[in-house]
Amino acid sequence: MLKGKTALVTGSTSGIGLGIAKALAAQGANIVLNGFGDVEGPKAEIAALGVQVTYHGADMSKPAEIAAMIEHAKTTFGSVDILVNNAGIQHVARVENFPIEKWDAIIAINMSSAFHATRLALPGMQAKNWGRIINVASVHGLVGSAEKSAYVAAKHGVVGLTKVTALENATTGVTCNAICPGWVLTPLVQKQVDAKAAAQGISNADATKQLLGEKEPSMQFTTPEELGALAVFFCSPAGDNIRGVAWNMDGGWTAQ
C-alpha cells in the first residue's frame, strides 16, 4: 500500500517508534530511523522487510539537527511522505521539585521537536498534495497524572498542534492525527515497573499489575504492533478524511 512512500519516524530505534516503523515498512514504505542506542539491529529488522532504510542521529532537542535530518531524508529518498513524531523522554517529580533542566528537555523533545519536524516536512507534502503526519501523543495528552507536569503539558501541546496542523491543511491531501496510547511496555515504562518493584519490595509481575490496575481497566499493555497497525490505518485510503483526531488506544483509561 505504501510502496514508493518514505516514512520518517523519530525515536524509532526501539519501543513504539520501531514498532510503527516496522508496520509502515511492511506496507512498502522506505524508512528513515532516528534515535539513540543500537542502530544496526533496528536497521536490519527494517531491511528484512524488503524496503530501503537509512538512519539519522538528530538530537530532537536541537532544531538545526532536526532540519539536517529532514534534508537527509529528502536527499536519500526524495521526499518525506509520512512523518511520525514519536521521540520522547520522561521525568517524574512534583511541580515544586521539578528540575528546570528536565522541564526544558521534555518540552523540547516531546513537543517542540514535533513542531520543528512538521513545519519542515509540510511544504513537500503540500507540493505533492499527499502526506500523513502522525503525532504519538499519549493518554496524558487527554488527562493528567500527578508528578508528570512536563510530560502532560507537552503531550497536551502535541494534541493541540495536531488539531491546528489538521485544520490548516483540511482542504488538501495532507492529514495530521495523534495517537494517544495508555501503558505500552517500552524500555521507558519497564524502568517505572522496576522502580515500583524495588521501592515496594514486590515482584515485577505484582508491580505490573499494580501499575495497570491504577489506570488501565483492560489490565493489559498496548503493544507497539497495535500502534503500528493504527498508524498504517491513518496512512490508508480509509484515513483520507480523518483529520485532527486524538485517537486513544488505552484499554479504557479515558472511558472512566
Side-chain angles (χ1 to χ4, degrees):
M1 185 180 72
L2 298 176
K3 193 168 178 60
K5 306 287 190 192
T6 297
L8 166 58
V9 187
T10 68
S12 52
T13 49
S14 67
I16 292 171
L18 181 56
I20 292 176
K22 288 166 69 174
L24 295 173
Q27 292 294 326
N30 295 321
I31 303 294
V32 182
L33 293 173
N34 158 263
F36 298 109
D38 176 35
V39 173
E40 293 310 313
K43 281 179 72 175
E45 288 185 55
I46 298 292
L49 295 168
V51 300
Q52 296 181 65
V53 57
T54 186
Y55 167 82
H56 193 282
D59 179 337
M60 297 306 293
S61 69
K62 297 178 179 175
E65 293 192 24
I66 295 170
M69 178 178 64
I70 297 288
E71 282 306 308
H72 172 75
K74 290 178 182 176
T75 300
T76 306
F77 294 126
S79 64
V80 175
D81 305 294
I82 300 161
L83 171 65
V84 182
N85 289 307
N86 169 72
I89 58 172
Q90 176 65 289
H91 184 78
V92 178
R94 289 177 60 89
V95 170
E96 64 270 26
N97 301 322
F98 213 94
I100 294 170
E101 67 278 6
K102 292 290 187 184
W103 172 276
D104 289 344
I106 289 170
I107 295 299
I109 293 171
N110 294 32
M111 182 175 71
S112 296
S113 72
F115 162 73
H116 291 300
T118 295
R119 69 178 175 83
L120 293 164
L122 267 173
M125 294 178 180
Q126 291 162 340
K128 296 173 78 169
N129 200 37
W130 195 94
R132 294 290 185 266
I133 299 170
I134 300 169
N135 294 323
V136 180
S138 166
V139 68
H140 284 116
L142 304 170
V143 297
S145 286
E147 300 192 351
K148 295 184 178 180
S149 56
Y151 190 83
V152 171
K155 294 302 187 179
H156 272 68
V158 166
V159 170
L161 174 65
T162 299
K163 293 175 181 178
V164 173
T165 305
L167 290 173
E168 289 180 357
N169 293 278
T171 59
T172 76
V174 180
T175 71
C176 182
N177 294 290
I179 298 175
C180 299
W183 289 119
V184 183
L185 194 56
T186 62
L188 200 69
V189 170
Q190 187 62 55
K191 284 183 182 177
Q192 293 185 54
V193 172
D194 294 343
K196 188 180 281 284
Q200 298 184 28
I202 57 178
S203 70
N204 262 42
D206 286 340
T208 297
K209 285 180 185 174
Q210 195 179 110
L211 189 79
L212 291 169
E214 289 169 6
K215 303 281 189 178
E216 196 142 348
S218 68
M219 292 298 289
Q220 65 187 53
F221 288 107
T222 299
T223 67
E225 290 76 19
E226 289 166 347
L227 297 169
L230 180 55
V232 167
F233 172 66
F234 283 152
C235 294
S236 75
D240 283 352
N241 208 30
I242 300 174
R243 298 171 184 269
V245 306
W247 193 305
N248 46 303
M249 191 180 275
D250 62 5
W253 187 324
T254 55
Q256 299 174 97

